[in-house]
Amino acid sequence: MAELVPVLREKAAWMEENRRLHPEAIDLLAEAGLFKLRRPKRYGGYEIDTRTLVDIGAQLARADGSLSWTIGVYWTPTYITGMFPDEAQDEVFATEDVRVCGSSTPSVMAAPVDGGIVLNGPSKFASGALHAHWQEVAAILIRPDAEPEPIMALVPMSDLELVDDWHTSGLKATGSITTLAKDVFVPQHRVIPMAAAMVPQSLSRANADSPMYRTPTSLVAAASGAGTPIGLAEAALEVFLERLPDRKITYTFYEKQGEAPITHVQVGTAKLKIDAARFHAERCAAVVDEKCLNGEPWKLEERTQVRVDWGQAAKLAKEAVDILFSASGGSAIFDRKSPLPRIVNDMNAVNLHALINPDTNTETYGRVLCGLEPNTVYI
């Protein structure tokens, strides 16, 4: 992946301006096999471990944060697709290098009809929707004789309306628009209870024995996405050190910033935070991969640890970027001359995601350590 970073980096400005991934970037990643990493082996996929996903996600983020984020998002819904009945998988994976977007927040309403359901309503924050073939729509199934039930439905993107409302300060190129379902019929074999994906309880006979499907979905998402903040922080350090020889510290006698002791402290502190962030990202993935291999039941503390590691990786990486940006001087705010503003904005956006939010995840972890329930089902 490292050899692709300079090529992909050249597309970053275009992607930022157009709020979507560059078609050539998608082609390059398809050629590299990145859309098959979490695809079932029986459809030509690799079922790769999440530790590898951390490394790949970090390399992609060195090129562009939105690119890394979007590819990481594709990995999780592709993984979930393998929990659907085999008939549904046959449809989705009939497409070479299929891209599946999705959300775990049920905001669409579903009504039962003969042979399936009908969907109505919006799905917000649909990262990667502009380049996806399918979406896993999270919905609430409303039946007259039962309690409302969260479900997931596989829907071709051609059945959904795309609402261009992604005007943001960070992760601009993810194209995380709103998709809208209007009386969309979904056959029953493309519908599963959300609990079947979250626990997980695969409804696929062919994938039932695959070690990859032994992990709760939110923890898969954590391990799949933990590399993005690492790569963003590494990119910030790389940019800082590239600019360093030509910089002085204005309004001081330091003609070379690299000779100032404060710079040594800033760079050293930032690098240590990046190293610590990588530790949490790798531990997050290591726990997920170990559980997949040994098949042992998940302990509650282990589940919350994976979530808190994701949050800490993002938090520490952000702290490193903040140090480097603050040490870069006023010239760093010119976004046409430096990628640092984009890196800062992308990192801020990553840390605001509800599943990553460091404070929320730390509280959840602390609750469990204190013997309380975690106050969330997304573990």
Side-chain angles (χ1 to χ4, degrees):
M1 279 306 304
E3 65 274 12
L4 287 180
V5 169
V7 180
L8 295 171
R9 190 174 283 168
E10 292 176 357
K11 314 294 183 186
W14 185 96
M15 294 191 291
E16 179 89 348
E17 183 176 351
N18 290 275
R19 298 177 296 118
R20 67 190 63 217
L21 302 187
H22 197 289
E24 291 180 17
I26 294 176
D27 291 342
L28 285 171
L29 298 182
E31 291 175 10
L34 264 63
F35 301 121
K36 296 180 179 178
L37 296 182
R38 299 296 273 179
R39 182 184 179 116
K41 288 182 178 179
R42 63 197 183 92
Y43 295 107
Y46 305 128
E47 297 191 15
I48 206 74
D49 60 275
T50 62
R51 175 65 178 77
T52 302
L53 299 184
V54 168
D55 289 340
I56 293 175
Q59 290 289 351
L60 291 175
R62 286 181 55 227
D64 182 70
S66 289
L67 183 69
S68 176
W69 179 273
T70 305
I71 303 309
V73 166
Y74 285 150
W75 288 334
T76 299
T78 301
Y79 161 85
I80 297 174
T81 301
M83 297 181 190
F84 277 73
D86 298 327
E87 184 181 354
Q89 293 181 58
D90 289 342
E91 294 180 66
V92 174
F93 294 122
T95 301
E96 187 75 8
D97 296 310
V98 68
R99 294 180 291 275
V100 186
C101 66
S103 171
S104 57
T105 303
S107 56
V108 177
M109 294 294 106
V113 296
D114 289 342
I117 60 171
V118 170
L119 298 176
N120 279 285
S123 295
K124 296 183 178 295
F125 297 97
S127 297
L130 295 174
H131 309 285
H133 303 98
W134 292 78
Q135 179 174 341
E136 272 165 3
V137 175
I140 298 292
L141 179 60
I142 304 297
R143 292 166 291 188
D145 56 348
E147 291 292 319
E149 179 186 12
I151 61 170
M152 303 192 91
L154 284 168
V155 181
M157 297 305 298
S158 57
D159 288 353
L160 301 169
E161 293 186 17
L162 305 184
V163 182
D164 185 11
D165 57 358
W166 188 245
H167 300 277
T168 59
S169 60
L171 294 177
K172 292 181 180 180
T174 63
S176 302
I177 62 172
T178 295
T179 63
L180 185 62
K182 291 184 177 179
D183 294 324
V184 173
F185 172 75
V186 183
Q188 194 60 49
H189 68 273
R190 286 202 257 120
V191 180
I192 64 172
M194 184 173 286
M198 300 301 294
V199 175
Q201 301 166 357
S202 178
L203 301 180
S204 167
R205 295 180 180 178
N207 295 339
D209 296 326
S210 171
M212 189 170 75
Y213 292 103
R214 296 172 178 167
T215 301
T217 294
S218 58
L219 307 187
V220 169
S224 299
T228 298
I230 309 302
L232 282 169
E234 290 175 342
L237 180 58
E238 185 178 339
V239 172
F240 182 87
L241 294 176
E242 285 176 352
R243 299 177 76 241
L244 191 59
D246 298 325
R247 294 201 71 251
K248 63 179 182 178
I249 300 181
T250 306
Y251 302 135
T252 75
F253 294 123
Y254 284 112
E255 292 298 319
K256 293 187 177 181
Q257 184 183 11
E259 295 179 351
I262 184 61
T263 304
H264 308 156
V265 173
Q266 290 166 330
V267 171
T269 301
K271 182 61 168 68
L272 286 170
K273 287 183 180 292
I274 295 171
D275 292 344
R278 182 171 282 278
F279 160 78
H280 283 287
E282 292 178 352
R283 186 174 72 167
C284 169
V287 174
V288 169
D289 290 340
E290 181 181 358
K291 287 294 183 180
C292 285
L293 288 175
N294 62 33
E296 294 178 357
W298 278 84
K299 298 177 182 178
L300 190 56
E301 184 176 328
E302 292 172 331
R303 292 171 179 252
T304 53
Q305 180 189 301
V306 169
R307 278 282 304 273
V308 81
D309 275 338
W310 195 14
Q312 286 300 301
K315 176 176 182 288
L316 290 162
K318 180 181 182 301
E319 290 173 355
V321 169
D322 288 345
I323 290 170
L324 295 168
F325 190 57
S326 295
S328 294
S331 60
I333 67 174
F334 289 91
D335 56 10
R336 293 186 182 274
K337 293 183 178 181
S338 169
L340 278 174
R342 182 176 66 249
I343 292 171
V344 170
N345 290 336
D346 286 350
M347 186 68 85
N348 286 336
V350 167
N351 275 263
L352 289 172
H353 192 280
L355 284 175
I356 301 174
N357 187 282
D359 290 337
T360 298
N361 286 350
T362 300
E363 179 197 352
T364 301
Y365 189 49
R367 284 179 62 88
V368 170
L369 292 177
C370 290
L372 300 176
E373 290 300 311
N375 199 30
T376 178
V377 298
Y378 289 94
I379 55 169

